[in-house]
Amino acid sequence: MKTAYFLGFIIWLITLPMEASGQERLKKLITEREQLHQQWQASESQKSGLFGNRTKKDIETTEIGYEKEDYKFIAQKAEEDIVKLKRALNLKDEKIQSGLKEKRTYEWTTLIFFVSSMVLGFLYYKKRTRQVG
């Protein structure tokens, strides 16, 4: 009996995040529905025809409003893309700078090794010529 309770508790703990994400999704959908309903009410209040019917001017105004929203959405997406591209460019610049630093370190290490080899070779040569002569 205790294992059944324990097993039920474990299953409840596992499904808890699923319930939370489902509730968040439901809240998001309800909020979206409310926004759409408010937009519909606003468009219905703009009708100027007889008995609440739309006139040709109402339809043209609505189309212009939709086009305006479409262009606004396109502009926002373009701005988001620009921000992403700038971020990627900055990351690439940082990688290039770190690569240059590593290259400089390698160059200096190589130079120091070369100069020290030359000095030690010269000293060894001088010592050998003194012993022979």
Side-chain angles (χ1 to χ4, degrees):
M1 191 66 150
K2 289 182 181 179
T3 58
Y5 286 126
F6 181 72
L7 186 59
F9 180 72
I10 296 296
I11 292 173
W12 179 77
L13 282 177
I14 291 172
T15 59
L16 186 63
M18 289 183 229
E19 291 176 16
S21 67
Q23 289 175 351
E24 291 173 9
R25 185 167 180 249
L26 179 63
K27 286 180 183 178
K28 181 181 175 186
L29 289 173
I30 289 172
T31 305
E32 185 178 336
R33 181 185 175 276
E34 289 174 356
Q35 290 174 350
L36 291 172
H37 185 70
Q38 289 173 355
Q39 290 174 358
W40 175 77
Q41 283 181 335
S43 72
E44 288 296 312
S45 67
Q46 294 176 355
K47 292 180 182 178
S48 62
L50 294 174
F51 305 110
N53 293 325
R54 292 189 183 271
T55 63
K56 185 175 181 178
K57 184 177 180 184
D58 290 338
I59 293 170
E60 291 171 357
T61 305
T62 303
E63 287 178 14
I64 291 172
Y66 290 147
E67 289 176 4
K68 178 182 167 187
E69 292 299 318
D70 289 343
Y71 288 129
K72 192 183 295 184
F73 177 75
I74 291 170
Q76 288 174 345
K77 291 297 281 181
E79 287 176 10
E80 290 174 7
D81 290 342
I82 289 170
V83 168
K84 289 177 186 176
L85 290 172
K86 282 183 179 179
R87 190 176 308 131
L89 184 63
N90 287 338
L91 288 174
K92 291 292 182 183
D93 285 343
E94 290 173 6
K95 285 182 181 179
I96 290 170
Q97 292 300 323
S98 66
L100 288 175
K101 287 179 184 177
E102 289 177 12
K103 182 180 176 185
R104 285 187 197 120
T105 302
Y106 175 75
E107 288 172 349
W108 277 106
T109 305
T110 305
L111 178 67
I112 291 170
F113 178 73
F114 177 74
V115 170
S116 63
S117 296
M118 292 298 289
V119 169
L120 288 174
F122 178 73
L123 292 174
Y124 179 75
Y125 173 76
K126 207 168 188 180
K127 182 178 178 184
R128 293 287 277 172
T129 56
R130 246 190 277 153
Q131 286 178 355
V132 172

